[in-house]
């Protein structure tokens, strides 16, 4: 049995938005990241 879907959104419960700080052109910007119960983090499209 092979597991191809590492990030299956059906079982990955969305937990919260965490903000990651990145530096863009010398300015600090906050990037919203969606954090899931299975430990995966995705960039939020909001």
């Amino acid at each position: 049995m092979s597991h191809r879907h590492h990030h299956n959104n059906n079982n990955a419960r969305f937990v919260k938005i965490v903000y990651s700080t990145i530096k863009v052109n010398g300015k600090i910007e906050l990037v919203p990241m969606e954090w899931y119960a299975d430990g995966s983090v995705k960039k939020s499209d909001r």
Side-chain angles (χ1 to χ4, degrees):
M1 186 163 63
S2 70
H3 295 288
R4 287 180 196 190
H5 303 291
H6 293 293
H7 298 291
N8 189 346
N9 286 345
N10 294 334
N11 359 341
R13 261 192 19 254
F14 174 74
V15 178
K16 64 179 178 178
I17 298 245
V18 292
Y19 286 92
S20 173
T21 55
I22 57 167
K23 215 169 191 184
V24 182
N25 298 329
K27 289 186 302 192
I28 300 280
E29 290 196 10
L30 283 176
V31 180
M33 307 286 283
E34 295 177 357
W35 184 51
Y36 292 86
D38 66 352
S40 64
V41 178
K42 286 192 209 99
K43 196 168 187 178
S44 177
D45 294 331
R46 293 171 202 188

